[in-house]
Amino acid sequence: MTQTDIRPRPRADGDEGPHTPAAGTVSRRLRTGGEVLVDQLLIHGVSNAYCVPGESYLAVLDALYGTRIALTVCRQEGGAAMMAEASGKLTGRAGVCFVTRGPGASNAMHGLHIAQQDSTPMVLFVGHVARSAAGRDTFQELDYRAVFGTVAKWVEVIDDARRVPELVARAFRIAESGRPGPVVLALPEDMLTDIVEVADATAVAPVETYPSADQVEAFAAMLAAAERPVAVLGGSRWSAEAVAGFTAFAEAASLPVYVSFRRQMLFPGSSPCYGGDMSLGANPAIAREIEAADLVILLGTRLSEVPSNHFTLLGIPVPRQKLVHVHPEPQEIGQIYTPTLGIAASPAAFVRALATVDPHAPDAGRRSRTEAIHASYLAWSDPSGVTIPGELQMGEVMASLAGRLGPDTIFCNGAGNYAIWLHRFRRFERFGTQLAPTSGSMGYGVPAAVAAKTMRPDRTVVAFAGDGCFLMNGQEFATAVQYGLAFVVILVDNTMYGTIRMHQERDYPGRVSGTGLKNPDFAAYARAFGGHGETVRTTAEFMPALERALASNLPAILHCHIAPEALSPTMRMAEPA
């Protein structure tokens, strides 16, 4: 079937209204491949999808018409894929994205890489050339298995519409089980218009992994014998209940807890056991405590390059400390660090098993150490007294935000030195309030805010962005305006790619090359799209501007100008550390 043959039409069974299958039903109605696909999404509980439309999957767009799946139309495939990834982070279920072949698929790689490194469940559907034209370097053709094979957990081309239920069910199971990640399904355009009779799949759930009774007993014995234990939390497969359960266990055991890079929402900052996050520019006391520990518990995290301080904290392959590594994917255990005890279990399942473990009343020495660790965190995360050059003091801004924005506020950010202000000084309290890429990908904050406000419309959403970071996907601000998604972007403008400039000043002082930026009026940019925009140049201007932005009930940008000399909260242009 040629491109011009694809056109909207009634459903193959003659019903022009929306079809909403119940989970587990068996349907043998005549349907197009596109209709079969959409019916599987409904069965698997998909309520939101993100896309940039393309002629290669028009039959799917037609099948989505009138269903209860809310389709967010985006401005660039990178932004759409990031929205799907952010949705997966918030819900723990696979975020869904549709893009067209060739250029569309290439743009979506951005979001796929985030999902892979962040262990986020996601299913990317890519339009594909007709089966009869495959392998001829056809218009916009790509070899999806080759292109995405090193990033996605699984890549498949659905050549037969009768296999859509089988392969879509497999895609969701793979994306959500073990170590979650992205899956790519390519959809030949003529397959989507084939009319077939096929049974629907049933809804899938992530495959759960549990610790054995012997493993739980061994863990309890190791914890009881330790004098200087620490826990490090990270990864995915968490829930609000798991966070609450581990918090209660840690407090009963007076167990110091750190969180991995950009995983602050996994443990409340107010807990007396919290020691901070192992991020770029982390509190130096964290490394000292982990190196001095006699037991390290890695729960859900891989402890990759950033939180491990370039793989130096534990020793490879045999850690200097006793190590308990709990991870939902067995292949991750021992891949870098050889554990004393390895447990293949999701964080949620492991925390449930802790209900059988006696945390033992901690001795005075452990309580004193845990209190000192938390006191160090409180001092490190206190923005008062942190000053930078210029009239806009970000330390005071962060202190003001703490008093104004409640614990349910969802914060989003991409990558850049501006993010240090958020990660160091925001004391996260609740699960599901942080969307940030551990992959260090720029351009994430605005698409993530679109997804957050779409999925959690009753919550306040704030995106932090740098001037360089914002313009990588800032066009998705138009998506926010189109759908009436009122969130606030705090855009920190220092007229440069600040992180790269920081390294440049350290390694090649006085030789500025390739890092300067000439920026637009971002407040006017916001107003041009139909949003709210204000310029902030001084500390006194910030809070009134924020209040007006929140009251506007519009997507808003606060264009915050900071001095270029302020490379970070502690580094200055003249004397980078």
Side-chain angles (χ1 to χ4, degrees):
M1 181 171 285
T2 65
Q3 177 179 320
T4 55
D5 290 327
I6 301 176
R7 55 191 180 277
R9 61 181 180 184
R11 299 183 67 87
D13 59 2
D15 176 14
E16 297 193 31
H19 172 59
T20 305
T25 60
V26 176
S27 172
R28 293 191 178 277
R29 301 173 306 105
L30 289 175
R31 293 171 287 174
T32 67
E35 291 166 351
V36 176
L37 173 61
V38 171
D39 285 348
Q40 306 319 298
L41 298 183
L42 290 164
I43 287 170
H44 296 307
V46 175
S47 59
N48 294 80
Y50 304 88
C51 82
V52 175
E55 67 271 21
S56 60
Y57 68 97
L58 278 177
V60 176
L61 293 174
D62 180 64
L64 284 165
Y65 181 83
T67 70
R68 66 171 182 267
I69 296 176
L71 186 65
T72 300
V73 181
C74 308
R75 299 308 180 100
Q76 205 258 16
E77 292 86 358
M82 289 180 185
M83 292 176 200
E85 192 277 342
S87 173
K89 267 197 178 82
L90 279 178
T91 66
R93 304 304 304 269
V96 172
C97 181
F98 285 92
V99 299
T100 196
R101 61 201 177 199
S106 301
N107 286 338
M109 177 66 88
H110 205 172
L112 280 179
H113 185 252
I114 297 171
Q116 184 270 323
Q117 291 227 327
D118 287 37
S119 303
T120 304
M122 173 181 170
V123 179
L124 176 70
F125 293 97
V126 182
H128 192 23
V129 301
R131 291 165 292 186
S132 60
R136 296 175 172 172
D137 198 16
T138 299
F139 178 63
Q140 296 186 337
E141 183 178 6
L142 284 177
D143 181 341
Y144 294 111
R145 293 186 181 94
V147 170
F148 295 124
T150 61
V151 175
K153 289 185 71 176
W154 181 52
V155 183
E156 187 57 274
V157 179
I158 306 181
D159 283 326
D160 185 343
R162 291 169 296 185
R163 296 193 66 191
V164 168
E166 168 202 349
L167 297 178
V168 171
R170 188 190 302 179
F172 277 84
R173 184 173 287 110
I174 291 173
E176 295 176 351
S177 299
R179 176 187 171 186
V183 167
V184 178
L185 290 180
L187 311 172
E189 59 180 310
D190 55 337
M191 179 278 293
L192 293 173
T193 56
D194 281 350
I195 297 175
V196 297
E197 181 181 294
V198 64
D200 290 318
T202 56
V204 301
V207 176
E208 190 59 281
T209 47
Y210 300 90
S212 70
D214 289 345
Q215 289 172 330
V216 174
E217 184 179 347
F219 167 78
M222 291 176 67
L223 180 59
E227 295 182 358
R228 299 181 64 87
V230 297
V232 179
L233 314 183
S236 52
R237 303 290 299 271
W238 286 86
S239 65
E241 293 75 19
V243 168
F246 193 79
T247 301
F249 180 84
E251 291 178 353
S254 196
L255 173 64
V257 177
Y258 301 109
V259 295
S260 188
F261 182 43
R262 295 182 168 175
R263 300 294 191 189
Q264 286 101 314
M265 69 176 185
L266 297 183
F267 203 83
S270 60
S271 169
C273 292
Y274 186 58
D277 66 300
M278 300 165 68
S279 61
L280 295 165
N283 183 352
I286 296 177
R288 292 194 295 269
E289 287 294 338
I290 291 178
E291 289 170 349
D294 58 359
L295 174 65
V296 176
I297 303 160
L298 301 183
L299 179 49
T301 180
R302 297 180 297 118
L303 201 68
S304 55
E305 182 185 10
V306 171
S308 68
N309 195 17
H310 306 289
F311 300 108
T312 63
L313 285 184
L314 298 186
I316 299 173
V318 181
R320 295 178 292 275
Q321 311 89 333
K322 288 185 178 180
L323 175 66
V324 176
H325 194 182
V326 184
H327 198 280
E329 178 55 63
Q331 292 182 348
E332 292 291 341
I333 298 172
Q335 187 175 105
I336 301 174
Y337 312 103
T338 302
T340 311
L341 174 63
I343 301 175
S346 69
F350 182 76
V351 172
R352 286 195 295 271
L354 289 181
T356 65
V357 175
D358 181 0
H360 299 287
D363 60 29
R366 184 187 293 184
R367 286 198 301 270
S368 176
R369 171 173 171 260
T370 302
E371 290 170 359
I373 286 172
H374 184 59
S376 176
Y377 160 70
L378 292 177
W380 180 258
S381 61
D382 182 0
S384 63
V386 177
T387 60
I388 58 175
E391 295 184 81
L392 179 57
Q393 294 297 316
M394 289 299 298
E396 294 184 43
V397 166
M398 296 309 301
S400 298
L401 289 177
R404 175 62 177 84
L405 301 177
D408 284 331
T409 301
I410 300 173
F411 284 90
C412 314
N413 66 270
N417 274 17
Y418 71 88
I420 297 174
W421 293 103
L422 175 61
H423 292 309
R424 178 171 171 179
F425 299 115
R426 175 67 183 182
R427 294 176 180 171
F428 288 87
E429 290 294 322
R430 296 184 184 172
F431 182 74
T433 57
Q434 182 182 32
L435 291 172
T438 68
S439 68
S441 181
M442 296 178 70
Y444 183 83
V446 173
V450 169
K453 198 64 180 178
T454 299
M455 303 300 293
R456 303 286 186 265
D458 58 328
R459 305 277 282 278
T460 300
V461 176
V462 174
F464 269 67
D467 45 334
C469 186
F470 177 86
L471 277 180
M472 290 198 175
N473 279 306
Q475 70 274 10
E476 301 304 344
F477 191 82
T479 305
V481 172
Q482 178 173 341
Y483 292 95
L485 304 172
F487 57 80
V488 178
V489 180
I490 297 175
L491 197 159
V492 182
D493 181 357
N494 64 354
T495 69
M496 69 180 74
Y497 287 117
T499 302
I500 312 306
R501 179 65 178 276
M502 176 184 70
H503 295 307
Q504 193 171 64
E505 290 290 334
R506 180 193 63 202
D507 297 335
Y508 304 96
R511 297 176 62 83
V512 180
S513 176
T515 52
L517 296 173
K518 175 68 174 178
N519 290 319
D521 181 340
F522 288 109
Y525 179 99
R527 294 191 294 270
F529 281 111
H532 180 89
E534 297 204 30
T535 301
V536 176
R537 297 185 183 277
T538 68
T539 307
E541 292 173 347
F542 179 80
M543 283 306 294
L546 176 66
E547 294 294 350
R548 290 189 292 268
L550 293 170
S552 73
N553 203 31
L554 293 169
I557 295 175
L558 301 185
H559 185 184
C560 300
H561 293 265
I562 68 169
E565 293 77 17
L567 292 172
S568 79
T570 58
M571 299 179 191
R572 305 293 173 260
M573 188 81 75
E575 47 184 29

